[in-house]
Amino acid sequence: MKCALVTGGSRGIGRAICYKMAEMGYYVLVNYKSNAVEADKTLAQIKENGGDGELLKFDVANKDDINQVLGGWIESNGEKYIGALINNAGVKDDVLMIWMKDEQWDNVIKTSLDGFFYVTRLVLNNMLIKKYGRIVNIVSLSGLKGLPGQINYSAAKAGVIGATKALAQEVGRRGITVNAVAPGFIKTDMTEGLDEKELRSMIPIRRFGTPEEVACAVGFLVSEGASYITGEILSVNGGLYS
Ligand code: NAP
């Protein structure tokens, strides 16, 4: 059975990606950290739409948790195989560098960059054996451009962009593509405190994007139609900057 693992699938962009993966026929593994209520809603909607999947609760910032829960799932589900991995879980904790605390640096880097490494390494093994895989990393405009107040977040996302390009070259010959999607301002809990009216004048399309618009880009990169695209960073930002 072909499965898609979406980290941070309980809310926002990850939830829209879960729906897209289900629509594409994948059995969806909906990962989340703590919000069981929202994760349940994602899974219920997948099933209501005629798809199937299950919840997989683990903290992508904790390698022991990843190895235990995701590693355990892989070991005990030999008949299922994760053919698509969407590394979406991410957090931001903005403050100017001079005031940034150790924990703010550590948590943001661990969630995006360490999370990418430990989750992908586990999933990659079966992709290499099957000689097929699709990996899509959700990065950010912040990782391409660098944004003040986001030293931690820009560094984490830029790190994943570099890793995307490097891994694409390692595994291309084994039928595995590795790409990234870099959203701009997308309407989710993460951007809740931002003033869209004020910021939209900077955006050529003059509005924030939707999680579904990001999910469409991910769906394309996972599709057969994108089989000759790897190591790419696809911006979904309304023309803001790339
Ligand atoms: P969101 O609405 O805040 O949702 C975050 C999701 O990530 C939730 O499902 C959350 O799970 C999960 N998560 C957070 N930390 C986790 C951890 N340590 N382990 C496992 N899951 C974890 O965020 P979003 O806006 O959808 O963002 C999704 C991705 O897009 C992130 O990587 C973000 O950096 C990136 N991005 C977002 C924007 C934007 O404008 N929104 C722009 C550029 C890039 P719980 O529900 O359990 O907390």
Side-chain angles (χ1 to χ4, degrees):
M1 188 189 278
K2 210 171 59 159
C3 303
L5 168 60
V6 182
T7 66
S10 48
R11 292 182 283 125
I13 294 170
R15 169 180 274 165
I17 295 171
C18 286
Y19 297 161
K20 175 59 74 179
M21 293 300 105
E23 191 188 303
M24 290 170 74
Y26 283 93
Y27 178 89
V28 186
L29 301 175
V30 182
N31 160 255
Y32 68 104
K33 182 184 175 186
S34 54
N35 200 332
V37 172
E38 294 303 316
D40 278 339
K41 281 188 203 162
T42 303
L43 186 59
Q45 189 64 49
I46 287 172
K47 291 185 175 170
E48 208 175 301
N49 295 348
D52 200 5
E54 66 187 272
L55 301 180
L56 212 53
K57 179 181 188 287
F58 60 84
D59 178 354
V60 302
N62 180 333
K63 67 178 174 185
D64 295 333
D65 207 18
I66 295 171
N67 287 334
Q68 202 183 325
V69 179
L70 178 59
W73 185 92
I74 292 171
E75 231 179 80
S76 53
N77 284 276
E79 78 292 356
K80 296 191 181 113
Y81 133 76
I82 300 173
L85 166 63
I86 320 301
N87 286 304
N88 163 79
V91 288
K92 72 179 174 80
D93 196 347
D94 299 354
V95 63
L96 293 176
M97 183 164 171
I98 195 76
W99 290 304
M100 191 174 285
K101 298 192 174 76
D102 293 5
E103 311 83 75
Q104 291 177 294
W105 171 262
D106 288 343
N107 186 36
V108 171
I109 297 283
K110 272 191 182 164
T111 306
S112 278
L113 193 53
D114 291 17
F116 155 79
F117 175 72
Y118 291 110
V119 170
T120 306
R121 193 177 59 178
L122 259 187
V123 170
L124 199 55
N125 195 42
N126 275 339
M127 287 183 175
L128 290 168
I129 293 168
K130 299 268 182 190
K131 294 195 172 66
Y132 181 87
R134 291 279 190 268
I135 299 171
V136 181
N137 301 317
I138 307 303
V139 293
S140 171
L141 174 69
S142 184
L144 290 166
K145 186 177 184 267
L147 288 176
Q150 295 199 320
I151 299 291
N152 48 2
Y153 189 76
S154 295
K157 296 299 191 182
V160 176
I161 288 170
T164 300
K165 293 177 180 178
L167 184 60
Q169 294 171 66
E170 286 188 15
V171 298
R173 77 184 72 173
R174 305 299 287 266
I176 303 167
T177 66
V178 190
N179 291 289
V181 168
F185 292 112
I186 307 299
K187 269 187 230 175
T188 68
D189 293 346
M190 193 178 267
T191 52
E192 207 175 37
L194 301 180
D195 186 349
E196 184 177 355
K197 277 197 191 113
E198 189 190 307
L199 291 166
R200 71 180 173 200
S201 61
M202 291 161 40
I203 307 168
I205 289 187
R206 292 285 188 270
R207 62 172 176 82
F208 281 11
T210 65
E212 291 72 27
E213 287 171 319
V214 180
C216 276
V218 174
F220 167 63
L221 291 171
V222 168
S223 75
E224 279 306 315
S227 51
Y228 203 55
I229 299 174
T230 195
E232 273 303 314
I233 315 302
L234 177 56
S235 285
V236 181
N237 61 19
L240 186 56
Y241 172 94
S242 42

